[in-house]
């Protein structure tokens, strides 16, 4: 069986440089090597919030980001949850294959519950890992690029696939997690980079917005710039960001800045980021909403064809 990649994001806000260096650049590289499905997980937005927010607008913005960074709809199938009912129908038989206690023990679910913005935890939160199993298995996904915090979800998917095969016959491959050398970028306030915390540089940010965000970034009182991830994490984070955008080692940049202080560090970082984002911004500005809608319509159609075949196979194996 040929390998198939499944990856994606929830449309909860603009993608940022952390997303680019953490996953988007890897997707652009992988689409040239494997068939790839890129999921806009709109149904999963409501797992940890009471309302989905501006779901249509966020979906369009997410698509614009995908296309602007180089995800090619001719080589990657971009689709959304709510357009593929057959994918979501797989959730029912898959839920019968896992126990409540197994879902409760999932460390990622525990963490997401702890950080949920809902007044009460919904049942959807507990089924989240099984829904992700449906995302992966509907297209017979074998490779899933993930960060360390998502590994438990891939294990749930493997568990579901293995138990289905044991109970009903061989239908699904056992997917493997792809752990890349993904750099960890902290937010400009020193905390976790997040769409909701206002500490990230969006791929759609203007040059002036980027400069303003970097000006407010935390540093320290030592004028001499050095790269010390443990002792000077805020300074190291800016050096890492500039280094990634320039394709240069952050320690080398620190030596060049030397006694230039935080002002020079922030100027270098701002110039590096704006230069890096310039072609992405240009491509984004060239894309029209009609083109974006067409890309999504075609991707939804291809993904649904795949989901229909898988659901028919599952129902046949189960004797329906």
């Amino acid at each position: 069986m040929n390998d198939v990649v499944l990856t994606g994001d929830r449309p909860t806000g603009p993608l940022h440089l952390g997303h680019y260096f953490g996953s988007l650049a890897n997707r652009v590289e992988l689409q040239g090597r494997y068939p790839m499905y890129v999921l806009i997980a709109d149904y999963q937005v409501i797992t940890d919030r009471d309302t989905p927010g501006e779901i249509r607008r966020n979906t369009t913005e997410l698509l614009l980001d995908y296309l602007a960074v180089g995800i090619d709809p001719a080589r990657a199938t971009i689709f959304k949850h709510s357009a593929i009912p057959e994918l979501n129908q797989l959730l029912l038989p898959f839920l019968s294959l896992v126990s409540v206690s197994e879902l409760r023990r999932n460390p990622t679910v525990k963490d997401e519950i702890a950080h949920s913005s809902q007044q009460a935890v919904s049942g959807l939160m507990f089924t989240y890992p099984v829904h992700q199993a449906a995302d992966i298995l509907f297209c017979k996904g074998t490779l899933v690029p993930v960060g360390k915090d998502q590994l438990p979800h891939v294990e749930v998917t493997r568990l579901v696939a293995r138990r289905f095969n044991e109970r009903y016959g061989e239908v699904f491959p056992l997917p493997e997690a792809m752990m890349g050398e993904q750099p960890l970028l902290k937010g400009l306030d020193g905390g976790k980079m997040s769409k909701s915390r206002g500490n990230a540089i969006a791929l759609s940010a203007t040059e002036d917005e980027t400069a303003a965000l970097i000006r407010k970034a935390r540093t320290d009182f030592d004028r001499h710039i050095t790269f010390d991830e443990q002792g000077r994490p805020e300074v190291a984070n800016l050096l890492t960001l500039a280094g990634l955008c320039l394709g240069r080692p952050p320690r080398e940049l620190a030596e060049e800045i030397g006694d230039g202080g935080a002002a020079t560090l922030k100027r270098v970082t701002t110039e590096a980021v704006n230069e890096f984002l310039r072609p992405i911004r240009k491509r984004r500005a060239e894309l029209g909403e009609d083109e974006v809608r067409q890309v999504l319509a075609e991707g939804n159609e291809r993904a649904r064809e795949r989901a229909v075949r898988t659901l028919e196979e599952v129902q046949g194996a189960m004797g329906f």
Side-chain angles (χ1 to χ4, degrees):
M1 179 180 290
N2 294 327
D3 283 318
V4 175
V5 173
L6 184 286
T7 184
D9 302 279
R10 299 195 303 168
T12 56
L15 298 182
H16 50 66
L17 281 171
H19 292 118
Y20 180 85
F21 291 113
S23 63
L24 294 176
N26 188 43
R27 293 178 197 177
V28 173
E29 192 273 329
L30 287 173
Q31 72 181 353
R33 295 162 51 196
Y34 306 103
M36 178 182 288
Y37 288 81
V38 183
L39 166 66
I40 298 175
D42 52 354
Y43 271 164
Q44 289 179 1
V45 171
I46 55 174
T47 55
D48 60 352
R49 57 195 68 204
D50 294 319
T51 59
E54 298 182 21
I55 196 76
R56 289 184 182 175
R57 185 71 233 166
N58 286 341
T59 296
T60 299
E61 291 295 312
L62 192 58
L63 256 169
L64 285 168
D65 285 336
Y66 284 164
L67 299 176
V69 302
I71 294 178
D72 182 357
R75 295 190 289 174
T77 298
I78 306 171
F79 68 101
K80 62 178 183 175
H81 260 155
S82 57
I84 319 295
E86 292 80 8
L87 183 163
N88 298 297
Q89 197 172 336
L90 291 172
L91 182 62
L92 293 175
F94 287 177
L95 278 173
S96 72
L97 300 169
V98 294
S99 68
V100 172
S101 61
E102 285 171 334
L103 293 175
R104 286 184 181 277
R105 287 198 301 269
N106 187 296
T108 306
V109 169
K110 287 181 180 179
D111 182 68
E112 286 167 349
I113 288 173
H115 294 90
S116 170
S117 62
Q118 289 180 308
Q119 293 182 346
V121 177
S122 72
L124 192 60
M125 179 65 81
F126 285 103
T127 63
Y128 186 23
V130 184
H131 202 172
Q132 287 199 326
D135 298 338
I136 296 166
L137 296 177
F138 97 95
C139 62
K140 305 289 184 76
T142 58
L143 300 174
V144 188
V146 291
K148 186 177 180 181
D149 62 330
Q150 292 292 310
L151 283 175
H153 287 336
V154 178
E155 285 305 311
V156 170
T157 303
R158 290 173 59 84
L159 179 70
V160 167
R162 187 166 55 248
R163 287 180 179 170
F164 188 95
N165 292 344
E166 290 170 352
R167 189 173 298 182
Y168 301 111
E170 291 291 324
V171 172
F172 295 111
L174 299 186
E176 299 286 345
M178 293 183 73
M179 295 287 291
E181 295 295 325
Q182 300 172 352
L184 176 62
L185 273 177
K186 292 184 179 179
L188 296 173
D189 59 359
K192 180 182 178 181
M193 186 174 284
S194 169
K195 290 182 274 191
S196 61
R197 298 182 186 182
N199 65 355
I201 299 170
L203 300 179
S204 56
T206 66
E207 293 200 10
D208 288 344
E209 289 168 343
T210 299
L213 283 166
I214 294 174
R215 270 198 306 272
K216 294 189 294 184
R218 291 181 183 175
T219 52
D220 57 33
F221 296 108
D222 188 344
R223 182 173 179 80
H224 184 74
I225 299 301
T226 58
F227 183 71
D228 180 354
E229 291 180 285
Q230 300 301 318
R232 307 182 70 184
E234 293 90 354
V235 169
N237 197 50
L238 286 177
L239 288 166
T240 298
L241 177 57
L244 286 167
C245 289
L246 293 168
R248 296 179 60 191
R251 200 174 301 278
E252 184 180 291
L253 291 176
E255 291 171 359
E256 286 185 8
I257 296 169
D259 292 328
T264 302
L265 170 61
K266 290 181 179 181
R267 176 180 58 78
V268 168
T269 304
T270 299
E271 291 173 356
V273 171
N274 276 330
E275 186 63 30
F276 180 82
L277 287 178
R278 193 161 286 123
I280 295 175
R281 290 170 177 146
K282 181 175 183 294
R283 171 64 175 146
R284 215 176 185 280
E286 293 169 349
L287 292 164
E289 290 203 13
D290 287 344
E291 181 180 350
V292 168
R293 279 193 290 269
Q294 184 64 25
V295 165
L296 188 57
E298 292 174 358
N300 287 342
E301 184 178 357
R302 293 202 302 270
R304 190 168 187 191
E305 288 173 359
R306 172 71 269 193
V308 166
R309 293 199 304 271
T310 300
L311 182 60
E312 288 176 349
E313 194 175 355
V314 164
Q315 289 177 332
M318 296 178 72
F320 286 106

